């Protein structure tokens, strides 16, 4: 540990931001008391202000402050960077973006909108059409977070038109994806499905298609088409698997699990055991553990519904501990324990 501290002190003295980033996790994790940690963070903030590219370090510092329950102390660094960059329009725009992104990341959509709007004004002055469209999209997403969905739609539609005019196909399709989600939230399933149809027939990348399928599943579930919902989720899983993208597959699997959990919480067991077999079948020749997991979910739903089942037998064949933990969580849903105080 002494060696890391020496390296850390040297990096601070030399204002070596790359080295500080490299050492950050190990060194910060080694600090045991909050007072010492806060002092180190203050030293880091001073160095970050002098870095050529300070934003990765600012991100790490802000996250630690967030864990300390003091998000504002982390945001303060971004604010100082904004003030420092005011004389250079391009640098100022970059600093405003990172400040807005930090507000967005730490759950302050109103502050994010305020900052993005300053950025939008600057980008219009600079004539950065693509950046203007991206900022409009960010503002729309934050209005959605504030549940001002009509405003979110209005701004995202403007961004979408700009992406189309710029010939930016990927961001155009992403804007349609966001619009589909917004219309779904409003309960306008017809408009949402129309947008998804356009996305899925166009040239697209896997991430966009997978997210479109997840929204499609949400719409079908809202319309009580649970067979269709599970079919859409199956397509999303298989598409992510097809391109061998572990991170994307994890995102889809989490969405599938959350969907199943919601059905369990609503005691909609029949909707699970009548439809989840398609997911188990999809993995029959691909991955035996996933097949067993989805089969176990089916049997658990039967158990919860008071039907004959083979849950214990299937559960016993699963060798992946994470899957067993997920099943244990599902099994707990709806189970209450009487607490008696003696």
């Amino acid at each position: 540990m002494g060696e890391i501290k020496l390296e850390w002190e040297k990096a601070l003295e030399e204002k070596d931001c790359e080295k500080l980033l490299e050492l950050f996790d190990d060194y910060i994790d080694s600090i045991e008391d909050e007072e010492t940690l806060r002092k180190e963070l203050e030293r880091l903030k001073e160095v970050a202000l002098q870095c050529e590219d300070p934003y990765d370090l600012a991100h790490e510092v802000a996250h630690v402050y967030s864990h300390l329950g003091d998000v504002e102390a982390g945001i303060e660094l971004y604010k100082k960077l904004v003030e420092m960059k005011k004389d250079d329009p391009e640098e100022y725009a970059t600093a405003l973006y990172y400040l807005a992104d930090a507000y967005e990341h730490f759950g302050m959509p109103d502050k994010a909108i305020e900052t993005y709007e300053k950025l939008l004004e600057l980008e219009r002055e600079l004539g950065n059409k693509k950046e203007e469209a991206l900022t409009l999209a960010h503002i729309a997403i934050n209005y959605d977070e504030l549940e001002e969905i009509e405003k979110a739609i209005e701004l995202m539609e403007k961004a979408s038109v700009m992406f189309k005019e710029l010939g930016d196909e990927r961001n155009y399709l992403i804007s349609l994806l966001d619009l589909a989600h917004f219309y779904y939230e409003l309960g306008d399933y017809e408009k949402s499905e129309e947008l998804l149809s356009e996305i899925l027939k166009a040239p697209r990348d896997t991430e966009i298609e997978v997210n479109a399928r997840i929204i499609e599943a949400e719409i079908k579930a809202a319309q009580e088409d649970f067979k269709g919902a599970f079919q859409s989720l199956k397509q999303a899983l298989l598409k992510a698997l097809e391109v061998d993208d572990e991170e994307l597959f994890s995102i889809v699997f989490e969405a599938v699990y959350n969907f199943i959990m919601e059905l369990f919480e609503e005691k909609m067991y029949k909707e699970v055991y009548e439809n989840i077999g398609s997911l188990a079948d999809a993995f029959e020749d691909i991955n035996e553990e996933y097949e067993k997991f989805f089969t176990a979910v089916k049997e658990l739903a039967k158990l919860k519904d008071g039907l004959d089942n083979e849950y214990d037998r299937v559960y016993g064949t699963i060798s992946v501990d994470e899957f067993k933990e997920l099943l244990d969580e599902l099994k707990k849903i709806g189970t209450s324990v009487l607490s008696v105080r003696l």
Side-chain angles (χ1 to χ4, degrees), residues 55-205:
Y55 300 106
D56 285 342
L57 197 53
H59 178 78
E60 297 293 345
V61 168
H63 262 279
V64 178
Y65 273 118
S66 175
H67 288 306
L68 293 173
D70 191 3
V71 172
E72 281 299 332
I75 294 289
E76 180 190 4
L77 175 55
Y78 289 99
K79 288 179 178 177
K80 286 183 177 179
L81 287 165
V82 166
E83 287 301 312
M84 284 177 60
K85 306 292 184 182
K86 273 189 171 178
D87 293 336
D88 183 327
E90 293 288 349
E91 290 287 334
Y92 183 43
T94 300
L96 281 171
Y97 166 76
Y98 279 106
L99 173 59
D101 182 65
Y103 279 131
E104 187 175 337
H105 182 78
F106 291 111
M108 293 181 265
D110 50 345
K111 293 283 190 182
I113 289 168
E114 183 183 320
T115 310
Y116 277 128
E117 284 177 344
K118 289 180 185 176
L119 177 59
L120 185 65
E121 186 179 334
L122 179 58
E123 283 162 349
R124 284 172 175 161
E125 289 174 12
L126 294 169
N128 294 337
K129 288 292 181 185
K130 180 176 178 178
E131 297 303 321
E132 181 184 338
L134 287 167
T135 301
L136 278 170
H138 277 292
I139 296 171
I141 289 165
N142 280 279
Y143 270 114
D144 179 58
E145 285 295 313
L146 292 171
E147 298 184 1
E148 295 186 38
I149 302 170
E150 289 88 351
K151 184 69 174 176
I153 288 171
E154 176 193 337
L155 292 170
M156 191 61 77
E157 284 179 342
K158 287 181 181 178
S160 188
V161 168
M162 291 182 73
F163 288 132
K164 192 168 187 178
E165 289 173 350
L166 289 164
D168 187 339
E169 182 72 5
R170 188 170 194 276
N171 279 312
Y172 171 64
L173 290 172
I174 290 171
S175 70
L176 295 186
L177 193 62
D178 285 322
L179 283 167
H181 182 69
F182 296 161
Y183 278 110
Y184 159 73
E185 289 182 314
L186 276 183
D188 189 343
Y189 304 139
E190 185 178 346
K191 180 64 176 177
S192 187
E193 286 176 320
E194 180 187 319
L195 288 162
L196 290 175
S197 177
E198 184 174 347
I199 293 165
L200 292 169
K201 75 182 179 185
R204 59 196 177 273
D205 68 13

Side-chain angles (χ1 to χ4, degrees), residues 15-41:
K15 299 177 177 56
D16 186 341
C17 298
E18 287 187 20
K19 189 65 177 178
L20 288 168
L21 275 170
E22 181 188 320
L23 298 170
F24 189 90
D25 288 340
D26 287 338
Y27 184 70
I28 292 298
D29 288 347
S30 74
I31 300 173
E32 295 179 356
D33 66 285
E34 185 173 326
E35 185 181 351
T36 304
L37 179 56
R38 284 182 176 273
K39 285 178 180 176
E40 283 303 313
L41 291 173

Side-chain angles (χ1 to χ4, degrees), residues 170 173-182 184 192-193 195-197 199-200 204-220 229 232-241 243 245 247-256:
R170 188 170 194 276
L173 290 172
I174 290 171
S175 70
L176 295 186
L177 193 62
D178 285 322
L179 283 167
H181 182 69
F182 296 161
Y184 159 73
S192 187
E193 286 176 320
L195 288 162
L196 290 175
S197 177
I199 293 165
L200 292 169
R204 59 196 177 273
D205 68 13
T206 302
E207 186 179 354
I208 292 171
E209 180 177 351
V210 160
N211 280 287
R213 293 296 181 194
I214 291 171
I215 296 172
E216 184 179 62
E218 291 175 337
I219 294 167
K220 290 182 184 298
S232 294
L233 291 172
K234 181 181 82 171
Q235 288 176 285
L237 278 169
L238 292 177
K239 190 66 184 179
L241 198 64
V243 295
D245 186 329
E247 183 179 352
L248 185 59
F249 183 84
S250 295
I251 290 168
V252 184
F253 182 77
E254 184 178 352
V256 173

